[in-house]
Amino acid sequence: SSPLRSGNVTPEYHRPVLLQEVLDLLITSRDGCYLDATVGGGGHAAAILSKLSDRGRLIGLDPDPAAIQAASESLVRDRAKLIQGVFWNLGAALDDLNIAQVDGVLFDLGVSSRQIDDPNRGFSYRHDGPLDMRMGGGRSAREIVNSASFEVLLHIFREYGEERRAAAIATAICARRERAPILSTGDLAAIVRS
């Protein structure tokens, strides 16, 4: 049986990379249980399910509610269980499902092009949009940029962004927010460019 209900949404959401290599190396048992720890739009997940028997199962995990929604529209629900959550909590997610062991795990890490291309998500510097950068809950980038101390911003840019000019960027952000809040990705991009 096909893992898809009404056609694969993959081309509109995300084209899976190294798809054949993933299938060849990941699937060791057609009856197995596999975890796609970053399910995205479900492209890898759908392909994995297509290679499994009717007894095979797939668990999909993603922090982005839009990704979970896209994947849920394309995957047969009785063979795939989708969970909104982060991959570093996969042990707890599997425990909640009473799954003690999986046959394979796929991590396709990073931000998808759909997240970057949609200005409303607040990740894009190419298109102006609200400064958000969240995949689920938590504080928005707008909140952090407008309230974090210089030291916290410096740490974020230096440690997480590996930015050589972290101090200059943090200084420019602190100076700009004294005049007006930083509300959009375009605002932040202009500050970084300056």
Side-chain angles (χ1 to χ4, degrees), residues 58-76:
L58 181 113
I59 311 303
L61 192 64
D62 204 289
D64 186 354
I68 293 294
Q69 178 62 37
S72 72
E73 292 171 2
S74 67
L75 300 173
V76 173

Side-chain angles (χ1 to χ4, degrees), residues 7-153:
N8 190 341
V9 297
T10 299
E12 297 145 20
Y13 192 90
H14 172 70
R15 182 178 306 266
V17 296
L18 300 170
L19 183 59
Q20 193 57 52
E21 293 84 351
V22 166
L23 297 174
D24 291 345
L25 296 170
L26 181 69
I27 299 172
T28 57
S29 168
R30 288 182 33 96
D31 296 336
C33 180
Y34 294 88
L35 172 68
D36 186 342
T38 48
V39 75
H44 281 114
I48 292 166
L49 278 174
S50 74
K51 299 295 183 185
L52 299 180
S53 74
D54 288 341
R55 291 186 303 266
R57 288 184 64 197
L58 181 113
I59 311 303
L61 192 64
D62 204 289
D64 186 354
I68 293 294
Q69 178 62 37
S72 72
E73 292 171 2
S74 67
L75 300 173
V76 173
R77 291 188 185 146
D78 65 341
R79 296 186 54 217
K81 174 69 176 167
L82 300 174
I83 302 166
Q84 184 181 339
V86 290
F87 64 83
W88 54 85
N89 288 336
L90 67 89
L94 293 173
D95 287 346
D96 288 346
L97 297 172
N98 294 318
I99 297 174
Q101 178 177 325
V102 294
D103 295 284
V105 180
L106 172 65
F107 293 90
D108 183 7
L109 302 176
V111 178
S112 79
S113 59
R114 181 172 176 154
Q115 291 162 332
I116 292 171
D117 291 343
D118 182 353
N120 295 316
R121 298 299 305 271
F123 287 98
S124 178
Y125 290 110
R126 292 187 321 182
H127 310 287
D128 195 27
L131 186 57
D132 194 327
M133 297 185 180
R134 290 179 290 186
M135 292 199 199
R139 295 174 63 200
S140 70
R142 183 175 82 186
E143 293 173 74
I144 294 167
V145 164
N146 285 292
S147 66
S149 68
F150 169 82
E151 291 78 14
V152 168
L153 292 173

